[in-house]
Amino acid sequence: MTAIDLGLPTIPTTPVRRPTRQLHVGDVPVGGGAPISVQTMTTTLTADVDATLRQIAAVTAAGCDIVRIAVPSQDDADALPVIAAKSPIPVIADIHFQPRYVFAAIDAGCAAVRVNPGNIRKFDDRVGDIAKAAGDAEVPIRIGVNAGSLDPRLLAKHGSATSEALVDSALWEASLFEEHGFTDLKIAVKHHDPLTMITANRLLASRCDYPLHLGVTEAGPAFQGAIKSAVAFGVLLAEGIGDTIRVSLSTDPVEQVKAGCHILASLGLRPRKLEIVSCPGCGRLQVDIHRLAAQVEAAFDGFPHPLRIAVMGCVVNGPGEAREADLGVSCGNGKGQIFRGGQVLRTVPESNIVEALLDEALRLTDPTPPGQAGETS
């Protein structure tokens, strides 16, 4: 089949990635120039296998590459073999407090294990055993350090959870694994403050070549958290720092994944999906642009092709912006001019704008010439 030219814009030069060693989380390569992975974490009770697998399926459909699940109890650990076997994407077991669950996760076939050394009991004494078990099973370890569970010794030394304290803690724990010959590590230093998180990751990137996982921990509700995460990730990713990301919003994990995918696409680090370009509104408007943009976004939810659709509310910027998009509408006087490839296709009543855009999007992306649907050679 001949490829269809959708007239999509050329992706600008992407940031030069920081060189790192590479590891594999299941079949997903991390670091070493591999594509940046989007992660999230399930919010279900892990012991509820069916609910957890349903949520994993939902985040996978949204574009998630790797999923992390909490293992705070023996019942959760007992559920790991089934979840790891049936999940469509690699599963990372998230372990706190009890080191025995690390071994359970490895035995269960989890693709990786995340440990937070600052709150695992007598962690330093168990590193050798963990390194051997993980090494034998070829399971990477993610060292996670954040302000809420910083190693007490480092907290006392630095006085607070500074960027330097986070990095010192992470590298100290990494060195314990290195003493046992285990270097299949990924590191995350997180903080709720974007500036502290940025500084910590810059410092960490300058002091090691391990792959880094980026996250603004406890980022907040959707609006606030997405902005904080986009600012922090945008700065670091533009500098080539970061190999996996998680947008930690107080929302459904599907929304976390969508936000992460959009951040990467905005930097040219992930193929662009459907994008709605719409004006913010002003006194020139002759249409309820907020309502119309929401209707278009809802109508195109799940549309499989990476179109840019412009929804513009007046004649000042509308025609120009609509011409720059793959499809667009410029509104006024109760009507909408539908544009495709810079050309006006038709003018429709305001009530028919969404339907008209959908119709033209299908025409644009359907490779079957009119009248030939269902024909065979």
Side-chain angles (χ1 to χ4, degrees):
M1 180 183 296
T2 303
I4 298 174
D5 182 6
L6 298 180
L8 301 180
T10 302
I11 296 296
T13 302
T14 56
V16 177
R17 300 279 300 282
R18 160 183 169 264
T20 75
R21 63 185 72 195
Q22 188 174 91
L23 54 82
H24 283 78
V25 179
D27 59 358
V28 176
V30 174
I36 297 171
S37 300
V38 173
Q39 298 187 20
T40 191
M41 191 169 182
T42 55
T43 58
T44 56
L45 182 67
T46 300
D48 188 341
V49 173
D50 290 341
T52 300
L53 286 173
R54 284 195 299 271
Q55 193 168 77
I56 291 174
V59 299
T60 301
C64 189
D65 301 299
I66 300 169
V67 67
R68 185 156 49 103
I69 60 176
V71 189
S73 74
Q74 187 61 51
D75 287 343
D76 300 316
D78 292 340
L80 290 178
V82 175
I83 295 171
K86 292 188 176 183
S87 172
I89 57 177
V91 171
I92 297 177
D94 189 78
I95 310 298
H96 295 264
F97 304 116
Q98 291 290 351
R100 71 175 184 270
Y101 296 147
V102 175
F103 304 102
I106 293 172
D107 292 340
C110 290
V113 177
R114 184 264 185 152
V115 296
N116 193 331
N119 61 19
I120 289 186
R121 298 169 187 167
K122 299 183 179 179
F123 179 82
D124 294 1
D125 298 334
R126 303 303 304 273
V127 171
D129 294 335
I130 292 173
K132 184 179 187 308
D136 290 346
E138 298 183 342
V139 171
I141 298 289
R142 175 182 142 193
I143 295 174
V145 178
N146 58 46
S149 54
L150 189 64
D151 188 308
R153 295 163 294 186
L154 275 299
L155 190 60
K157 174 184 175 181
H158 290 274
S160 64
T162 64
S163 298
E164 293 78 8
L166 295 172
V167 172
D168 283 352
S169 183
L171 292 178
W172 166 252
E173 303 300 346
S175 73
L176 296 179
F177 281 98
E178 292 167 353
E179 289 177 359
H180 296 279
F182 187 89
T183 57
D184 209 7
L185 301 170
K186 179 173 64 171
I187 300 179
V189 286
K190 295 186 175 184
H191 199 280
H192 65 271
D193 174 59
L195 294 179
T196 302
M197 178 268 196
I198 290 169
T199 302
N201 278 277
R202 283 173 170 164
L203 181 59
L204 184 59
S206 72
R207 294 179 58 184
C208 74
D209 66 349
Y210 289 117
L212 303 184
H213 173 77
L214 303 184
V216 177
T217 190
E218 299 113 17
F223 179 76
Q224 171 184 291
I227 291 175
K228 290 168 66 174
S229 298
V231 168
F233 294 177
V235 169
L236 291 169
L237 293 172
E239 296 176 3
I241 298 172
D243 302 285
T244 63
I245 65 170
R246 181 199 177 191
V247 184
S248 299
L249 308 177
S250 299
T251 62
D252 187 302
V254 169
E255 298 306 312
Q256 300 178 20
V257 172
K258 289 180 178 179
C261 291
H262 277 295
I263 290 171
L264 293 182
S266 297
L267 291 165
L269 294 168
R270 198 173 190 125
R272 182 168 62 87
K273 294 187 177 182
L274 182 80
E275 179 182 1
I276 306 295
V277 177
S278 58
C279 63
C282 70
R284 294 188 298 265
L285 289 182
Q286 296 178 339
V287 64
D288 185 344
I289 196 65
H290 303 153
R291 179 181 60 84
L292 180 59
Q295 289 175 339
V296 172
E297 183 178 35
F300 279 88
D301 185 39
F303 195 78
H305 300 285
L307 298 179
R308 176 174 285 131
I309 300 176
V311 182
M312 310 306 294
C314 75
V315 297
V316 174
N317 295 319
E321 295 290 347
R323 280 194 294 267
E324 290 295 317
D326 305 309
L327 284 175
V329 60
S330 178
C331 305
N333 296 320
K335 300 177 181 179
Q337 281 190 323
I338 307 297
F339 288 81
R340 173 177 160 182
Q343 301 295 319
V344 177
L345 299 176
R346 50 183 160 141
T347 300
V348 300
E350 182 180 320
S351 59
N352 292 347
I353 287 174
V354 177
E355 180 184 355
L357 287 172
L358 270 173
D359 181 51
E360 294 303 331
L362 293 172
R363 291 175 186 271
L364 178 59
T365 57
D366 186 354
T368 305
Q372 294 187 16
E375 292 184 6
T376 58
S377 57

